[in-house]
Amino acid sequence: MQVLLLEDEPHLGRAVAGALAAQGYGVRWARGLEEARGAFLELEPDLMVLDVRLPEDPDGGFRFAEEVREAGYKGPILFLTARDALGDRIQGLDLGGDDYLVKPFHLEELLARVRALLRRVSEVKESRVRLGGLEVDLAGRAVFWEGRRVDLSLKEFALLELFLLHPSRVFSPEEVAERVFGDGEKVGAVKVYVHYLRQKLYPGVVRTVPGGYRLGDEP
């Protein structure tokens, strides 16, 4: 999952970007509005985390959210801001925001809200998913196969999570590369990581179908 973070404060931006990356999300960190606009066009993010007050515009996060909604962006938007007045929260939500987190905040709460927002727009609403002998704790990022813990790398987990959250969809290799890796990885890497998942879990966990890949049937 690709996350666009707009945050001008270096320490906070580094902390949030690091926390998201440690959970396996691809993160593009923009320090200002122009950088965010460019990243948005390149990335097509699954979710955006936007600071509201920016050096160039005290309502920059609100303004950017309004722009992308008008451009047709459907993904979740989470505002981060020190502005905790009722009017600010209402303005943010009315402009297309889906959640509003007031600074200072705990990173654990931010991550929980990110997971909740992504589940809201996925086909799966539960944080624990079962598929035959496969059990995945999306919140705890733990994978079990027939009761045994299986260690996956961040990219392997991100790949599995994409298919679990959209069990009825077929993803082209290009779309998988963009949504899971998004860091210049080539389409060939998708084939490699699908192979890793099949080896660590079971051969049919991800099926190759016309047009790309989809979640496999229960083993």
Side-chain angles (χ1 to χ4, degrees), residues 113-114 123 218:
R113 290 181 185 237
V114 165
E123 300 172 40
E218 295 184 11

Side-chain angles (χ1 to χ4, degrees), residues 3-39:
V3 178
L4 173 57
L5 167 65
L6 173 58
E7 174 58 63
D8 67 293
E9 202 286 312
H11 294 295
L12 182 58
R14 192 174 301 111
V16 172
L20 289 167
Q23 295 296 303
Y25 300 113
V27 184
R28 184 74 66 87
W29 175 16
R31 280 75 166 176
L33 278 175
E34 284 309 305
E35 189 178 350
R37 291 184 178 112

